[in-house]
Amino acid sequence: MSACVRIRHDHTARSSPPSRASGIKRPQSPPPPRRGGRFRIAGADLSASITVFLIAVPMSLGLAVAMDAPLEAGLISAAVGGIVAGLLGGTPLQVSGPSAGLTVVTAELIQIYGWRTTCAITIGAGLLQILLGSLRAARGALAVSPAIVHGTLAGIGVAIALAQLHIVLGGSPLSSAAANALALPEQLGRSSPAAPLIGALTIAVLVVWPRLPGRIGRAVRRLPAALASVAIATAVAAVAAPGIARVDLPSWRSHALPELPQGPVLALATAVFTVLLVASLESLLAAVAVDKLTAGRAGGRTADSATPAPVTPAAPPVQRSDLDRELRGQGIANVLSGLLGGLPVSGGAVRSSANVRAGATGRAATVLHGVWVLLAAGLLVTALEWIPLAALAALVMVVGFQMVSFAHIRNVHRHREFLVYGATITGVVLFGVLEGVAIGIAVAVAVALHRLARTRITVTDQNGQHLVVVRGQLTFLAVPRLSRALGQLPRGGDAVVELDGFFMDHAAYETIQHWSDAQTAQGGRVVFTGRSGGRIAEPASAAHSCCRPWTPWRNHHCHDQPGRPVDTRRAATTWVAFPSGEHPTAGQGPTGSGRAEAGTPEGDAAATGGPTDGFDTPGDGAAVPRRTGAHRLASGLSSFQRNTAPLVRDELARLAREGQRPSQLFITCADSRLVTSMITASGPGDLFTVRNVGNLVPPPGAEAGDDSVGAAIEYAVDVLKVESITVCGHSGCGAMQALMSTGPDAPQTSLWRWLRHGLPSLERMRSRHHAWARISGRLPADEVEQLCLSNVVQQLDHLRAHESVARRLAEGALQLHGMYFHVGEAQAYLLAEGASAGSGIDEVFDRVGPGDPNHARPYDITDLSDPTGLGDPGDHAAVSAPTAAADPADPSGSGELERTSA
């Protein structure tokens, strides 16, 4: 029986779309086929392109000023990036153009080689990008350490801010970040007040604009903060400072095109490689971040989680990025930009996040933004020349400062990589981008080698039992000290070896194994443990040999693998995984002696093996045949008595004396894949569990009701005094599939009479009077998942109808929770508090993340809070971070999905 129950479906009925009258809409139905492959423009794409265009123009001019490049080059690269990379790239919603990450690199190249040679270098970098994309090497670029990537971008941000500060003060930047920092006091002494005041005004508007309160604030915030700040500064400068330095767009007739590069070949090759490295990393990592941002929007929540995402039910879902195609598209755009005399192009987060949040559905928004930039470059020259340079410099300076992300600093510090991060920043600021990356890689390698070599080994005697604690990684470098420490122990004595690390190489493994063999041969017992329950460098087969006390299911495949070798020589050596926080010390172990007893030789040979099982020296012995039926039951019971019972005997004895005092009633499905103790990290005495087909709660007095569920609820609430009740549904529920496929003429079997208690859930999903239950971060996969979610909410309503539950809820002594568990993803979702409490405010199931009891939110990319849009590339994407509070006007924080009417 799969899920709850497996019933054959009518594939014809299932494949046909639901009728409009049913009120059901497939959340992720495939888009209708396009006829003739024509380029279609949706209304949402048109409005999004205008929003991005209004951000791109001032940003492109500001970056051109920062690079000391021709101002029209910034517009050219913005137009080429939008049109070419938009059409040919692998990330439909990513907007490419001149980026802050390439500012320092390009400025240095222009100063050394001149503008025309820099264009040729851009062409060379683009050709290499096309080559690497054709070789499918894009994923390899994501293997760079996150500390190095963020350190490089932070160093570039510092260099940008220092250079632009000179322009804000009315001067000109120098050749390097160090020179700019040293020259600041002199620049402050000779600056006039006009430019600094205009720059300060620009920064103030940038900071305040997204935070304007009230209805008027929500209306004006539709205008991008970058455009608003530059427009206000331009208007003020036109009145108060008419003589301030402004944008000067020369005639297109004098525009310089590339020439053949002149200079040392090695230096030119280094320059090409530097542009390639920075542009490719920024584009690829930003593409992955845009994927996360798009997924967050699909769940009905924008990046800032305070603005309802525009809902476009008819729009096709945006596919994940094709990184190799994206790299080729960026390469073609760079080649064309260089040929036309434009700046290097890469993908960026400021424009991309604005594009996603504005409701773009495909490439049309990106391409149209490039078209608008191209038209502005030809038709709005007079208006652009009114913009003060100090305003553009202030805009870019803010972007530079925000490239130094405190979230990234906390992250690398938590992973003990701050030294690599700091070394990379220092190298980029003092020596340059490529040199800084090289320094970061060197420091990262040195840190890794130091961690491998830094192993602490201590030996203590505790009442005749020796405890050997190994902190760090066990490699061949630690073998001499390990051998010396183990050699100090008396032969034939009992010992506990605590391994606190995550790697053990072959040399260290053999050293430990040979010593263990000698100890057990002379009558001693050896127990290997990990500080937090894990084992180090274990083979897959040995991983099943012993488990945490509350998860004995983990070793159930040990008895079912035909041909698995058995090594009876290792029977006296036991690997034990203690629960988190428990340490094996003398007199405190489950058996009272500080160690787990080794099993019997005839039993351990089949299941526990030694730590050698699955390594290069497999044991001798016959294959274990696959056991089924009674043999499997007996084998499982034997394994429990051997491996788990010694660890839990004391706890179960305490529960037998004191009686059960569970704090939760857990109502869930009878599906065999739903292991309640595993997904809730609970043990004996924690949960009072009721399992039935479909996790149904019949309302009191229902026709053909089931008193067993009501009796369990009454007993748990009135006698056991539980503090909470959880109704848990799961993915792929067979009961929900049966409800979807069975009509009113279903046979009156016991199964169908029971499933009738789920009909209110089906009616709830189809009703126009109830908001759809949904998952935060994504839409339900299909109608069955939608029904599984609605069923949890409906059963909570049935639960509140029980007299004992209603009474305890009124007293404030009971809480109700809704939960959804996706089996294939091993991911739990909790129903929002409002819906659980019965207030009907929200019916959203929020994802529960690792180490985050308050539920993780989708990654947040805002216009200026993360200009790189990279998040944390440790997972090749972005780190989940808490987002802003929900908009009071939208209590759910995610907007309502549009429903079809009957």
Side-chain angles (χ1 to χ4, degrees):
M1 179 179 293
S2 172
C4 303
V5 60
R6 178 174 294 171
I7 295 181
R8 185 179 302 275
H9 296 283
D10 184 352
H11 293 279
T12 305
R14 185 178 182 181
S15 61
S16 61
S19 64
R20 188 173 181 83
S22 67
I24 300 176
K25 178 176 58 179
R26 295 183 185 272
Q28 290 185 338
S29 57
R34 294 184 176 181
R35 298 178 180 177
R38 293 180 296 175
F39 186 76
R40 296 178 180 270
I41 301 175
D45 291 330
L46 182 60
S47 61
S49 70
I50 296 174
T51 300
V52 179
F53 158 72
L54 296 177
I55 297 174
V57 170
M59 190 68 69
S60 301
L61 293 174
L63 291 173
V65 171
M67 299 175 191
D68 197 23
L71 297 185
E72 65 271 19
L75 299 175
I76 291 174
S77 57
V80 171
I83 298 173
V84 178
L87 284 173
L88 304 179
T91 310
L93 299 187
Q94 176 162 273
V95 182
S96 301
S99 71
L102 287 164
T103 302
V104 175
V105 176
T106 309
E108 184 179 2
L109 294 178
I110 293 173
Q111 190 173 31
I112 296 174
Y113 299 107
W115 170 243
R116 300 182 67 183
T117 300
T118 301
C119 291
I121 292 173
T122 301
I123 296 173
L127 292 174
L128 286 181
Q129 284 181 312
I130 297 173
L131 176 62
L132 292 177
S134 301
L135 295 176
R136 309 185 67 80
R139 286 283 174 186
L142 301 178
V144 181
S145 167
I148 296 175
V149 172
H150 292 305
T152 303
L153 295 172
I156 291 173
V158 171
I160 290 172
L162 288 173
Q164 297 312 294
L165 185 55
H166 280 271
I167 300 178
V168 171
L169 295 175
S172 300
L174 301 178
S175 59
S176 66
N180 285 322
L182 294 175
L184 273 180
E186 181 182 355
Q187 182 64 51
L188 285 170
R190 55 187 171 86
S191 63
S192 60
L197 290 176
I198 293 298
L201 175 63
T202 305
I203 295 173
V205 175
L206 276 172
V207 174
V208 173
W209 194 263
R211 296 169 174 83
L212 291 175
R215 183 177 300 176
I216 297 178
R218 286 196 295 271
V220 300
R221 282 202 305 264
R222 295 179 181 177
L223 189 68
L227 178 65
S229 62
V230 172
I232 293 174
T234 300
V236 172
V239 176
I244 195 172
R246 302 178 188 275
V247 168
D248 181 17
L249 286 173
S251 171
W252 287 103
R253 297 178 181 177
S254 61
H255 180 63
L257 297 177
E259 66 177 2
L260 290 176
Q262 298 179 358
V265 176
L266 182 59
L268 291 172
T270 302
V272 171
F273 179 76
T274 304
V275 174
L276 167 72
L277 175 68
V278 177
S280 300
L281 277 178
E282 189 170 13
S283 298
L284 295 176
L285 295 176
V288 178
V290 169
D291 280 346
K292 288 231 169 191
L293 184 62
T294 307
R297 186 186 69 174
R301 194 177 297 273
T302 58
D304 55 9
S305 100
T307 306
V311 179
T312 53
V318 179
Q319 297 179 349
R320 290 181 60 86
S321 297
D322 181 343
L323 295 185
D324 293 303
R325 178 179 174 181
E326 179 65 26
L327 189 57
R328 292 194 299 271
Q330 294 290 336
I332 296 172
N334 272 311
V335 170
L336 291 179
S337 180
L339 287 172
L340 297 175
L343 298 173
V345 170
S346 73
V350 174
R351 288 162 295 208
S352 299
S353 62
N355 191 38
V356 175
R357 290 187 297 111
T361 62
R363 302 180 184 274
T366 304
V367 175
L368 284 176
H369 127 271
V371 174
W372 307 145
V373 172
L374 194 61
L375 293 176
L379 303 178
L380 300 179
V381 174
T382 303
L384 296 177
E385 288 183 338
W386 279 93
I387 301 175
L389 292 180
L392 295 178
L395 173 65
V396 177
M397 185 177 70
V398 170
V399 174
F401 274 127
Q402 291 172 340
M403 290 176 72
V404 186
S405 170
F406 289 103
H408 296 156
I409 293 175
R410 287 193 299 269
N411 200 32
V412 298
H413 185 269
R414 185 169 63 249
H415 292 284
R416 298 186 300 169
E417 292 185 321
F418 186 78
L419 181 61
V420 178
Y421 181 85
T424 306
I425 290 180
T426 305
V428 171
V429 171
L430 295 181
F431 306 108
V433 174
L434 197 59
E435 293 84 352
V437 171
I439 291 173
I441 293 175
V443 173
V445 171
V447 168
L449 291 176
H450 174 70
R451 289 176 179 173
L452 286 176
R454 185 185 179 187
T455 306
R456 291 176 295 173
I457 304 173
T458 59
V459 180
T460 56
D461 186 357
Q462 299 176 343
N463 300 327
Q465 178 178 276
H466 291 82
L467 174 64
V468 182
V469 179
V470 181
R471 297 280 187 267
Q473 319 321 316
L474 278 174
T475 67
F476 65 93
L477 299 174
V479 166
R481 281 179 291 155
L482 180 63
S483 299
R484 186 164 54 251
L486 296 177
Q488 296 174 0
L489 302 180
R491 297 183 178 180
D494 295 345
V496 174
V497 181
E498 182 180 304
L499 304 176
D500 178 20
F502 56 84
F503 178 76
M504 178 195 300
D505 71 1
H506 192 71
Y509 168 78
E510 284 195 343
T511 300
I512 292 179
Q513 188 59 59
H514 292 162
W515 170 80
S516 175
D517 289 346
Q519 289 291 99
T520 55
Q522 299 182 26
R525 289 195 180 101
V526 179
V527 176
F528 294 91
T529 73
R531 184 172 64 173
S532 59
R535 289 176 295 279
I536 302 174
E538 270 185 78
S541 57
H544 295 297
S545 63
C546 190
C547 317
R548 291 178 60 122
W550 308 138
T551 55
W553 57 273
R554 188 179 172 197
N555 66 350
H556 78 290
H557 285 298
C558 295
H559 314 288
D560 301 333
Q561 296 175 1
R564 181 174 181 265
V566 179
D567 189 354
T568 57
R569 298 171 297 175
R570 311 303 185 202
T573 301
T574 306
W575 293 76
V576 177
F578 284 87
S580 179
E582 295 185 14
H583 301 268
T585 54
Q588 297 177 354
T591 61
S593 62
R595 64 180 182 267
E597 297 290 344
T600 58
E602 62 273 13
D604 283 356
T608 27
T612 60
D613 291 348
F615 275 102
D616 294 336
T617 56
D620 308 326
V624 178
R626 181 179 179 86
R627 301 181 179 184
T628 58
H631 292 288
R632 173 175 291 182
L633 175 62
S635 177
L637 293 174
S638 175
S639 177
F640 168 79
Q641 295 300 144
R642 178 174 58 252
N643 297 324
T644 307
L647 300 178
V648 302
R649 186 169 286 116
D650 290 347
E651 176 67 10
L652 292 179
R654 182 187 66 81
L655 291 172
R657 292 191 305 269
E658 300 176 359
Q660 64 167 327
R661 297 177 183 175
S663 61
Q664 304 176 59
L665 168 60
F666 201 83
I667 303 174
T668 189
C669 186
D671 192 292
S672 61
R673 299 165 298 177
L674 212 62
V675 185
T676 56
S677 61
M678 175 184 68
I679 63 179
T680 59
S682 57
D686 292 338
L687 299 181
F688 188 74
T689 306
V690 174
R691 304 188 68 150
N692 59 57
V693 175
N695 48 273
L696 301 178
V697 180
E703 181 184 358
D706 187 298
D707 289 336
S708 66
V709 177
I713 294 172
E714 182 178 345
Y715 183 78
V717 173
D718 291 339
V719 180
L720 298 178
K721 304 293 184 183
V722 295
E723 300 171 357
S724 67
I725 304 178
T726 301
V727 177
C728 176
H730 67 97
S731 62
C733 182
M736 301 300 104
Q737 296 176 25
L739 284 173
M740 296 286 295
S741 60
T742 307
D745 55 346
Q748 296 300 308
T749 63
S750 298
L751 176 60
W752 176 242
R753 283 194 296 271
W754 170 254
L755 288 180
R756 281 191 299 177
H757 297 302
L759 290 176
S761 301
L762 187 61
E763 295 172 0
R764 184 187 193 97
M765 185 184 75
R766 291 174 172 171
S767 172
R768 292 178 297 165
H769 303 293
H770 293 282
W772 266 0
R774 56 197 185 278
I775 293 179
S776 174
R778 67 173 177 83
L779 292 174
D782 50 31
E783 296 174 26
V784 174
E785 184 169 59
Q786 179 64 66
L787 181 56
C788 292
L789 300 174
S790 297
N791 182 58
V792 172
V793 180
Q794 183 64 38
Q795 300 313 311
L796 287 173
D797 286 350
H798 289 177
L799 196 58
R800 295 185 194 96
H802 285 260
E803 179 183 355
S804 56
V805 174
R807 183 178 65 254
R808 290 285 301 281
L809 286 174
E811 296 171 356
L814 184 65
Q815 293 181 340
L816 302 185
H817 303 292
M819 175 180 166
Y820 176 75
F821 186 75
H822 195 290
V823 178
E825 298 174 357
Q827 178 61 59
Y829 300 86
L830 281 180
L831 184 61
E833 185 176 352
S836 298
S839 60
I841 293 177
D842 199 0
E843 292 185 8
V844 177
F845 287 78
D846 286 335
R847 176 181 180 272
V848 180
D852 182 10
N854 296 321
H855 316 166
R857 292 289 188 185
Y859 183 71
D860 180 19
I861 302 178
T862 58
D863 274 352
L864 294 174
S865 63
D866 182 10
T868 65
L870 305 184
D872 185 355
D875 59 354
H876 299 174
V879 166
S880 291
T883 55
D887 191 336
D890 180 19
S892 70
S894 58
E896 291 293 335
L897 291 177
E898 181 180 335
R899 301 181 62 93
T900 57
S901 58

